[in-house]
Amino acid sequence: MGVLNVTPDSFSDGGLFLDPEAAVARGLDLFEAGADLVDVGGESTRPGAPAVPPQEERRRVVPVIRELRRHGAGLLSVDTTKSEVARAALDAGADLVNDVSGFRFDPEMAGLVARQGVPAVLMHLRGDFGGMHREPRYRDVMGEVTAELRESMARAERAGVARGQLILDPGVGFAKDAGHSLAVLARLPELQALDRPVLVGPSRKSFIGKTLDLPVGQRLMGTAAAVAAVVLGGAHLVRVHDVPEMVQVVRLCDAILSSAAAPDEVAETAGIASGSGGD
Ligand code: HH2
């Protein structure tokens, strides 16, 4: 999943794709580079970001989604917590909804997703955008994330969303300090207990900066390490900014995982030359 932030203030690429033409070109580039889907968002969730009114969020994302759809782009998700924005994005051609609040912020969101029959990503986030970065506390971070995602799934199912339409995301960096985010990556396989596809979004985030003491522009290798860790830990989707690089990471991790099942077959289908050279 490639990230397309149509915002002036996203934490790593704010302002780069606010212009609709630049955003559409970026979206097409992400597909060209190997993204299977592109996530279009119009509101930053970084600490201290101002709330964006729904009309403004719609104004940012709808023309970009419509234009990408017109260009025959692949799968598009809309990254929003507001049903009004999600509805307009789906009307413009989006295929699924990515709600970082796990259907908690807008009581209309679950019903909308149920009526439209589209898939949705439910992410774990404790509290609200204003308070979530203030001293998050957990006794057992992965146990609590899993339990709270279970509640989001129940909320979705009560509104009529089919369980098979749900994708779960532990919400790296959302109401989690660096230690919590690292623990979530380490314990990701536990999420398989919920029996749904798992998405993880570690790209360029501050837990990488804090661990490696690097600013946001220098987190590519840290992102690669985190992506490898989560793919090997069972993630089905990774949400990333640096698509060409992360496609390589994911393909190698997939080859490693498949080789455990059938080593010879994988080498053949991946066109890997036989021989035991030490390069
Ligand atoms: N992270 C961000 C935004 N949306 N959605 C999901 N499902 N998972 C994530 O981890 C996730 C997300 C934050 O990253 P970004 O969009 O680059 O930054 P900003 O919120 O500042 O626009």
Side-chain angles (χ1 to χ4, degrees), residues 5-277:
N5 284 322
V6 192
T7 60
D9 58 345
S10 285
F11 80 94
S12 79
D13 54 2
L16 292 180
F17 310 110
L18 191 55
D19 167 57
E21 263 179 47
V24 171
R26 171 69 170 182
L28 295 173
D29 283 351
L30 294 173
F31 282 113
E32 182 70 28
D36 291 319
L37 68 160
V38 165
D39 189 36
V40 185
E43 179 177 36
S44 171
T45 58
R46 76 180 161 78
V52 179
Q55 316 83 280
E56 171 61 13
E57 202 179 322
R58 261 182 17 213
R59 200 188 60 77
R60 292 178 186 174
V61 300
V62 165
V64 173
I65 290 171
R66 187 175 297 122
E67 214 33 35
L68 282 170
R69 187 47 67 243
R70 209 176 61 80
H71 279 83
L75 289 173
L76 297 170
S77 57
V78 59
D79 185 353
T80 187
T81 59
K82 303 182 186 87
S83 60
E84 181 183 333
V85 177
R87 187 182 303 113
L90 292 169
D91 287 348
D95 302 283
L96 63 151
V97 175
N98 173 23
D99 181 347
V100 298
S101 81
F103 289 169
R104 279 194 312 111
F105 288 180
D106 183 336
E108 306 291 317
M109 186 67 112
L112 171 75
V113 167
R115 281 193 303 282
Q116 302 262 351
V118 291
V121 178
L122 300 181
M123 199 194 78
H124 176 264
L125 181 169
R126 198 178 266 182
D128 56 23
F129 283 156
M132 69 177 171
H133 297 290
R134 273 180 241 125
E135 291 190 42
R137 281 182 207 283
Y138 299 86
R139 257 174 297 146
D140 163 15
V141 64
M142 203 56 192
E144 290 169 51
V145 166
T146 305
E148 287 165 36
L149 280 175
R150 228 184 255 281
E151 284 169 21
S152 276
M153 285 171 76
R155 190 174 307 112
E157 289 185 273
R158 276 197 302 275
V161 181
R163 175 175 278 244
Q165 296 283 50
L166 298 174
I167 297 163
L168 303 177
D169 181 337
V172 171
F174 286 84
K176 294 171 193 76
D177 64 21
H180 297 135
S181 289
L182 291 167
V184 162
L185 301 198
R187 293 175 57 186
L188 193 69
E190 293 175 34
L191 262 193
Q192 284 167 18
L194 298 184
D195 201 22
R196 296 306 317 140
V198 171
L199 182 152
V200 188
S203 190
R204 302 179 181 172
K205 283 192 176 161
S206 67
F207 79 94
I208 299 171
K210 292 203 172 107
T211 306
L212 302 178
D213 194 17
L214 286 171
V216 70
Q218 293 175 35
R219 296 179 188 165
L220 183 66
M221 299 308 289
T223 298
V227 166
V230 299
V231 175
L232 295 175
H236 303 81
L237 291 146
V238 283
R239 182 182 181 278
V240 295
H241 304 83
D242 303 289
V243 170
E245 294 86 351
M246 297 312 136
V247 163
Q248 291 186 27
V249 174
V250 169
R251 283 187 55 208
L252 195 81
C253 290
D254 276 348
I256 292 169
L257 287 172
S258 324
S259 74
D264 297 333
E265 234 170 78
V266 172
E268 268 166 41
T269 48
I272 299 167
S274 57
S276 55

